[in-house]
Amino acid sequence: MSEAGGGRGCGCRVPQRAPWNLVAATAALCLVLATSVGTARAAPMSREEKQKLGNQVLEMFDHAYGNYMEHAYPADELMPLTCRGRVRGQEPSRGDVDDALGKFSLTLIDSLDTLVVLNKTKEFEDAVRKVLRDVNLDNDVVVSVFETNIRVLGGLLGGHSLAIMLKEKGEFMQWYNDELLQMAKQLGYKLLPAFNTTSGLPYPRINLKFGIRKPEARTGSETDTCTACAGTLILEFAALSRFTGATIFEEYARKALDFLWEKRQRSSNLVGVTINIHTGDWVRKDSGVGAGIDSYYEYLLKAYVLLGDDSFLERFNTHYDAIMRYISQPPLLLDVHIHKPMLNARTWMDSLLAFFPGLQVLKGDIRPAIETHEMLYQVIKKHNFLPEAFTTDFRVHWAQHPLRPEFAESTYFLYKATGDPYYLEVGKTLIENLNKYARVPCGFAAMKDVRTGSHEDRMDSFFLAEMFKYLYLLFADKEDIIFDIEDYIFTTEAHLLPLWLSTTNRSISKKNTTSEYTELDDSNFDWTCPNTQILFPNDPLYAQSIREPLKNVVDKSCPRGIIRVEESFRSGAKPPLRARDFMATNPEHLEILKKMGVSLIHLKDGRVQLVQHAIQAASSIDAEDGLRFMQEMIELSSQQQKEQQLPPRAVQIISHPFFGRVVLTAGPAQFGLDLSKHKETRGFVASSKPYNGCSELTNPEAVMGKIALIQRGQCMFAEKARNIQNAGAIGGIVIDDNEGSSSDTAPLFQMAGDGKDTDDIKIPMLFLFSKEGSIILDAIREHEEVEVLLSDKARDRDTEMENEDQPPSENDSQNQSAEQLLSLSQTFDLIDQETPENPLESHSESSSPADIEEAAGFAPSEQIPSSTESLETPSLDGECTDLDNQLEEQSETKEDSNPNVSWGKKAQPIDSILADWNEDIEAFEMMEKDEL
């Protein structure tokens, strides 16, 4: 999530007993060396423009923070679409996401040190007083140990660090007497019972009032935790020990880190995503640098910087070598199996890995940082934001974007390291996109779907804790900040801890004796700052020269050239065949399949069946490639099945005072006007009478030329559509009759027809859950005339309308010519259509609630589907194509319900297939005698 301030600690060795100012000086030296080369650039950004952008960041923060304080405080977070606070238990559960909420005014605590960084010292002083007066840490609520540590404990410690700094300066906080530190200590003791396990790894959750395992605690039965959850404690817990002198916190955090290190996979030096907290067995054996592991690596390096313990650097360097050997496939970072690190675990990446270029800057490895960052920026330029997950060919895998700050963080550190004004332009793009697509009247709303531009009613606390901090620092000069940022290190939540803690209360800061490093080659470790002549050759355009080959990587229809490190082990052999490149008519491909133990069987209907027996492969490496090929082919099948589903649509409120800033996620209909093939429908909304739309409307004059609002229930969707169409409506929005339903907590579905011919329905129909529908109904009650846009994706807001004092009249809207509408639509920036992350289930209006709930409950797994021995795929001809048309020839075959890749009808039963395959896997694993 975040890296050390100003590129500090870039692999530099800090003497363990050096005074704190020497630590800071050493860190600053790294920064000077890193930024002293490559600062000369053509047309650098002027100081005036930097100041203008910095002021813009300040205004954006005021908009977010001010609305939180006005509409949500003392709740944990702001719900920016409905302008109210999110209180645990009073809103529909969002699952694990809600574990960050503990009824302790989360956003306020998380924002404390941001206020000081942004030079809002008076607001900071007021905020500290509110925390001391209002916040209760003894609530009967189950919270995430990880989130509470990084957000609340880290926020209190960051606030304390800057409070004592301001007090020393003599102007502000003169009344402060370590009150935030005492609250942090209280919270630290409340978290300690989570560590009561045989391994020393903490339980993932704890009850703030009752702890663990007590009947009233409602937690303590968990057996698994993520690696990052257990390995992202050392900075906050060590700082708490150093500040207070209570060594127990640092001891517990070190024990957890020691255990994770001992449980690494020894042959690959990688760790898995999920581990059993009692046995230490890896539950999920895939490994990457994204969700579930990310900040574990970050905290190993930063613990060395903050605490000066060489063992942390040794561990980090060992892991980093494994990451660059197996996971790094420039510019991609792909998860692998810890026991089979040459075998990819999945073909998509999650957005949390965007922190990694910043960590590489801290390490001093600039080139791969530039490469990965540029790839991520190209994805952002395509979708406006970084999707939660995207595939190796840069398609949307999960479409949400909860305003994550990791990319902004890496942008800041790359600018600090290179001085390249290109990264200032990147930051400017981030600011523009946030204001253009995420800003709403009550703050900034997370993106429900980056493809449609629809919003989600959430503004997480990390948005204020991190995003504005990094963006402001990106454009700020040293004199713009009231303290020296180089004296602090950033936690993963961007909270500031002073470097002088390295020499304070050091009684337990000693070399770890539980781990042996005899197998490590000390020559692999960087003990001094990297040579900047190596990092930055004498070329002021060094970073640009690295970025240039990647500038079109996302737009290429068939990205190739992803060269795995494994090639270096193959004596010049060609890279393995990828499923997306496979052509059944290519003799070379067929020969490669044979080596991998994959047989090709041509079926009578034109399809081909692939059958893989790992034991028949030419070698164990070829068997691995065969397994990976089959996994990729299955994922292609899954993706294409999703592509057959209709994607979600958008309802955008464009009238005063919304001006297109509120976008609601809507479900499509399998009948009526297809918004993906026609221009959007724009009009004022009106409620139909009867509201259920199940009979001839009694108010046709009210809906004539408008978009009719109708309630779900009592008749078929198609019948409702016909009734409002007969009354002259130009579109329809069906609002769920299940009060409290929301797209935040329930998957969307398609409105199905009535089993009859629906070609007579010519108007577009969209479905909104109750919560989204109530936003429109509330707007009607408050503003009477509300105009919306029905489209396949959100359009840019109409800036001309925003400058008007009054909304356009109804007649003006109705009389607007088709030419004018076309002209307006041409001014919009379109987002490339992608496949939705959740296949949309089809339902007819007469479905029972139980049926609908069961059918709508499908959610994609984060895991790659279990591979099978046999699958069918169509014949593939022609040149390289992307995933849209890779298997398009088979779409003409109608004998199978799924014309794309499908399970072979003539194959063995699935249980038998998997059993045979498992035997094959065990056979070549034993053949390699790999450590499992």
Side-chain angles (χ1 to χ4, degrees):
M1 285 188 176
S2 52
E3 321 312 324
R8 206 172 16 263
C10 45
C12 307
R13 187 174 191 174
V14 181
Q16 289 197 19
R17 300 193 177 278
W20 73 268
N21 56 345
L22 178 56
V23 178
T26 307
L29 174 62
C30 287
L31 177 65
V32 171
L33 289 173
T35 58
S36 62
V37 182
T39 54
R41 294 290 183 273
M45 185 176 287
S46 66
R47 174 164 173 76
E48 290 73 21
E49 186 173 3
K50 288 176 63 179
Q51 285 182 328
K52 179 181 178 182
L53 290 168
N55 290 334
Q56 197 170 353
V57 173
L58 294 176
E59 186 278 330
M60 293 166 66
F61 174 83
D62 289 341
H63 180 66
Y65 181 76
N67 274 286
Y68 165 74
M69 295 304 296
E70 179 180 354
H71 298 292
Y73 182 79
D76 283 317
E77 290 179 343
L78 169 68
M79 300 172 68
L81 297 183
T82 51
C83 297
R84 68 178 192 270
R86 183 180 296 279
V87 179
R88 186 92 171 262
Q90 295 183 13
E91 301 292 334
S93 174
R94 300 175 299 168
D96 292 348
V97 176
D98 284 339
D99 287 343
L101 311 180
K103 300 181 179 179
F104 35 37
S105 301
L106 176 63
T107 298
L108 181 63
I109 292 177
D110 224 359
S111 304
L112 287 177
D113 51 8
T114 302
L115 290 166
V116 182
V117 172
L118 273 54
N119 205 2
K120 296 179 178 294
T121 48
K122 184 179 185 304
E123 291 88 340
F124 171 73
E125 191 158 1
D126 293 340
V128 172
R129 292 185 185 276
K130 284 185 172 66
V131 169
L132 300 180
R133 182 190 67 204
D134 300 336
V135 172
N136 178 22
L137 298 176
D138 196 40
N139 300 309
D140 180 12
V141 60
V142 176
V143 297
S144 162
V145 173
F146 167 76
E147 297 289 355
T148 304
N149 172 65
I150 66 172
R151 299 202 206 187
V152 185
L153 183 58
L156 293 171
L157 292 172
H160 170 71
S161 299
L162 297 188
I164 59 177
M165 177 274 298
L166 290 173
K167 184 176 181 179
E168 289 176 359
K169 287 182 175 291
E171 183 176 355
F172 295 96
M173 303 299 293
Q174 295 305 298
W175 54 270
Y176 182 71
N177 192 28
D178 295 349
E179 288 88 351
L180 290 178
L181 180 60
Q182 296 307 313
M183 289 185 68
K185 187 176 182 181
Q186 177 192 0
L187 180 59
Y189 278 117
K190 285 184 172 294
L191 296 178
L192 284 184
F195 293 83
N196 187 21
T197 62
T198 55
S199 66
L201 300 178
Y203 282 94
R205 299 174 186 85
I206 194 168
N207 187 298
L208 289 175
K209 187 176 185 69
F210 297 109
I212 294 285
R213 287 191 170 179
K214 296 179 181 178
E216 56 269 37
R218 306 184 304 283
T219 189
S221 60
E222 302 93 341
T223 59
D224 306 335
T225 193
C226 71
T227 300
C229 299
T232 310
L233 299 159
I234 187 62
L235 292 187
E236 292 85 0
F237 272 50
L240 184 57
S241 287
R242 303 298 177 94
F243 272 129
T244 64
T247 61
I248 188 172
F249 304 109
E250 186 172 345
E251 290 171 354
Y252 275 52
R254 281 177 176 263
K255 183 179 179 181
L257 274 181
D258 292 346
F259 190 82
L260 289 173
W261 170 252
E262 291 297 329
K263 290 299 178 179
R264 75 192 186 282
Q265 211 291 322
R266 297 303 177 99
S267 62
S268 67
N269 281 317
L270 295 172
V271 292
V273 173
T274 309
I275 191 171
N276 186 296
I277 60 177
H278 303 297
T279 66
D281 295 332
W282 291 110
V283 179
R284 277 186 55 185
K285 300 177 183 179
D286 45 319
S287 183
V289 296
I293 302 180
D294 50 359
S295 48
Y296 163 69
Y297 294 133
E298 176 188 359
Y299 269 37
L300 284 178
L301 183 55
K302 290 184 176 180
Y304 165 69
V305 175
L306 181 64
L307 306 178
D309 189 331
D310 291 349
S311 67
F312 292 128
L313 181 61
E314 292 173 352
R315 297 179 191 183
F316 173 80
N317 279 330
T318 301
H319 285 314
Y320 187 77
D321 178 71
I323 291 169
M324 300 308 292
R325 183 184 302 272
Y326 303 119
I327 296 170
S328 177
Q329 301 172 40
L332 310 181
L333 292 162
L334 291 178
D335 285 17
V336 300
H337 296 280
I338 59 175
H339 297 98
K340 296 286 181 181
M342 311 309 297
L343 185 65
N344 284 344
R346 61 191 188 191
T347 58
W348 49 270
M349 297 164 280
D350 66 71
S351 63
L352 285 173
L353 63 76
F355 91 101
F356 198 66
L359 188 63
Q360 289 178 307
V361 171
L362 186 65
K363 160 71 177 172
D365 198 1
I366 304 296
R367 184 182 187 92
I370 294 173
E371 291 174 336
T372 299
H373 179 275
E374 181 62 20
M375 177 271 293
L376 295 170
Y377 185 44
Q378 297 300 323
V379 175
I380 289 174
K381 288 201 291 187
K382 181 176 183 179
H383 300 294
N384 299 319
F385 297 98
L386 199 59
E388 276 291 78
F390 54 93
T391 62
T392 54
D393 56 354
F394 311 112
R395 292 175 173 276
V396 172
H397 187 72
W398 296 334
Q400 305 95 328
H401 174 74
L403 306 182
R404 293 200 185 278
E406 286 77 17
F407 181 78
E409 166 191 349
S410 288
T411 302
Y412 165 64
F413 290 113
L414 273 170
Y415 176 67
K416 296 292 287 185
T418 66
D420 190 341
Y422 174 83
Y423 297 109
L424 297 177
E425 296 297 332
V426 173
K428 181 179 179 181
T429 299
L430 298 182
I431 292 174
E432 291 173 347
N433 288 350
L434 284 171
N435 278 322
K436 196 173 188 179
Y437 302 111
R439 186 167 182 144
V440 295
C442 280
F444 290 84
M447 306 307 295
K448 177 75 172 179
D449 192 313
V450 298
R451 299 159 303 190
T452 65
S454 57
H455 291 135
E456 190 174 354
D457 201 4
R458 62 185 286 193
M459 187 179 78
D460 292 81
S461 68
F462 55 68
F463 182 59
L464 284 83
E466 301 183 66
M467 180 68 82
F468 296 114
K469 197 174 292 176
Y470 287 124
L471 287 178
Y472 182 76
L473 289 172
L474 177 64
F475 297 105
D477 290 326
K478 190 171 183 178
E479 56 268 25
D480 296 328
I481 308 171
I482 62 175
F483 63 99
D484 190 351
I485 199 74
E486 309 305 334
D487 290 341
Y488 297 82
I489 190 170
F490 284 114
T491 70
T492 196
E493 190 78 1
H495 294 307
L496 295 165
L497 300 176
L499 285 170
W500 53 258
L501 289 174
S502 62
T503 56
T504 302
N505 294 318
R506 292 174 48 90
S507 59
I508 61 169
S509 178
K510 60 185 179 182
K511 178 88 171 184
N512 171 50
T513 58
T514 64
S515 302
E516 296 180 1
Y517 300 96
T518 55
E519 77 275 17
L520 303 181
D521 181 2
D522 192 67
S523 64
N524 291 331
F525 303 138
D526 297 326
W527 295 108
T528 59
C529 285
N531 187 330
T532 57
Q533 295 302 311
I534 298 175
L535 283 178
F536 305 101
N538 292 323
D539 179 5
L541 300 178
Y542 173 74
Q544 180 180 337
S545 68
I546 297 174
R547 291 192 302 266
E548 189 65 24
L550 302 171
K551 66 179 182 180
N552 296 319
V553 66
V554 171
D555 294 328
K556 292 180 180 177
S557 60
C558 189
R560 299 175 185 267
I562 301 173
I563 303 176
R564 288 189 56 100
V565 179
E566 67 186 79
E567 290 184 53
S568 62
F569 300 100
R570 292 183 170 218
S571 303
K574 293 182 179 180
L577 177 64
R578 311 306 294 264
R580 64 172 178 263
D581 300 332
F582 171 66
M583 289 185 289
T585 57
N586 188 321
E588 184 180 357
H589 288 183
L590 298 179
E591 185 63 29
I592 295 174
L593 290 188
K594 184 177 179 181
K595 288 186 62 179
M596 295 190 301
V598 179
S599 302
L600 188 70
I601 303 173
H602 290 273
L603 303 179
K604 292 181 180 180
D605 59 8
R607 292 175 298 166
V608 295
Q609 184 180 44
L610 298 178
V611 182
Q612 203 261 356
H613 291 283
I615 199 67
Q616 297 177 5
S619 68
S620 59
I621 293 180
D622 290 310
E624 289 182 18
D625 289 342
L627 292 177
R628 175 195 46 74
F629 177 84
M630 297 292 281
Q631 284 181 324
E632 290 182 355
M633 192 62 78
I634 291 169
E635 285 211 18
L636 282 180
S637 170
S638 175
Q639 252 182 340
Q640 289 175 356
Q641 290 174 15
K642 291 179 182 179
E643 288 175 1
Q644 294 179 342
Q645 304 289 338
L646 293 177
R649 305 298 188 218
V651 176
Q652 190 170 11
I653 307 179
I654 58 177
S655 55
H656 174 85
F658 303 97
F659 303 118
R661 283 182 167 147
V662 173
V663 184
L664 308 174
T665 300
Q670 294 179 342
F671 52 85
L673 184 71
D674 186 350
L675 291 170
S676 67
K677 298 178 180 178
H678 301 80
K679 68 179 186 293
E680 68 279 349
T681 296
R682 176 174 180 169
F684 288 86
V685 295
S687 296
S688 63
K689 292 182 181 180
Y691 189 32
N692 59 31
C694 291
S695 60
E696 182 179 349
L697 267 60
T698 60
N699 64 335
E701 71 286 347
V703 300
M704 173 73 71
K706 296 184 179 180
I707 296 171
L709 302 179
I710 43 183
Q711 188 178 49
R712 180 185 184 184
Q714 301 184 31
C715 65
M716 307 294 284
F717 288 121
E719 183 179 348
K720 297 175 187 288
R722 291 189 180 98
N723 287 330
I724 63 173
Q725 179 176 272
N726 293 338
I730 62 173
I733 299 175
V734 179
I735 298 176
D736 195 7
D737 59 346
N738 182 15
E739 186 175 354
S741 65
S742 168
S743 64
D744 295 345
T745 55
L748 288 173
F749 60 84
Q750 303 174 39
M751 292 186 290
D754 53 6
K756 305 174 184 177
D757 186 2
T758 55
D759 290 345
D760 60 313
I761 301 176
K762 305 298 184 182
I763 62 175
M765 295 290 294
L766 296 182
F767 175 85
L768 290 178
F769 281 110
S770 171
K771 178 181 174 182
E772 285 77 11
S774 66
I775 293 176
I776 293 182
L777 296 175
D778 290 344
I780 293 175
R781 281 191 286 269
E782 186 170 352
H783 304 288
E784 295 187 1
E785 291 191 338
V786 174
E787 189 177 15
V788 302
L789 194 71
L790 310 184
S791 60
D792 62 330
K793 62 197 77 175
R795 305 301 194 250
D796 290 355
R797 57 185 175 83
D798 189 345
T799 53
E800 293 181 2
M801 289 180 58
E802 192 166 357
N803 294 327
E804 298 177 5
D805 292 331
Q806 300 295 332
S809 69
E810 180 179 341
N811 291 335
D812 289 343
S813 174
Q814 294 175 353
N815 295 331
Q816 190 174 22
S817 67
E819 289 79 7
Q820 289 174 317
L821 285 172
L822 179 60
S823 174
L824 178 62
S825 68
Q826 288 173 341
T827 67
F828 295 141
D829 295 330
L830 301 182
I831 307 170
D832 291 340
Q833 179 63 44
E834 296 287 356
T835 307
E837 79 286 355
N838 291 320
L840 301 175
E841 298 292 340
S842 299
H843 303 297
S844 63
E845 180 65 25
S846 58
S847 300
S848 68
D851 292 336
I852 292 176
E853 182 178 355
E854 180 178 359
F858 174 80
S861 170
E862 294 184 16
Q863 300 295 322
I864 292 177
S866 299
S867 302
T868 185
E869 181 184 29
S870 172
L871 58 87
E872 295 175 11
T873 184
S875 301
L876 301 173
D877 299 316
E879 298 300 321
C880 173
T881 59
D882 60 22
L883 290 180
D884 277 327
N885 55 22
Q886 166 134 9
L887 306 177
E888 68 178 337
E889 286 190 7
Q890 179 55 28
S891 64
E892 298 174 3
T893 303
K894 301 299 182 182
E895 297 180 20
D896 199 320
S897 60
N898 176 17
N900 295 309
V901 182
S902 61
W903 301 118
K905 293 181 180 178
K906 300 179 182 179
Q908 324 169 33
I910 189 67
D911 292 340
S912 173
I913 291 172
L914 293 176
D916 289 347
W917 201 0
N918 286 331
E919 290 179 6
D920 293 341
I921 294 173
E922 292 173 2
F924 79 74
E925 284 178 347
M926 289 194 51
M927 200 165 54
E928 283 190 320
K929 297 180 180 178
D930 192 10
E931 178 187 7
L932 291 176

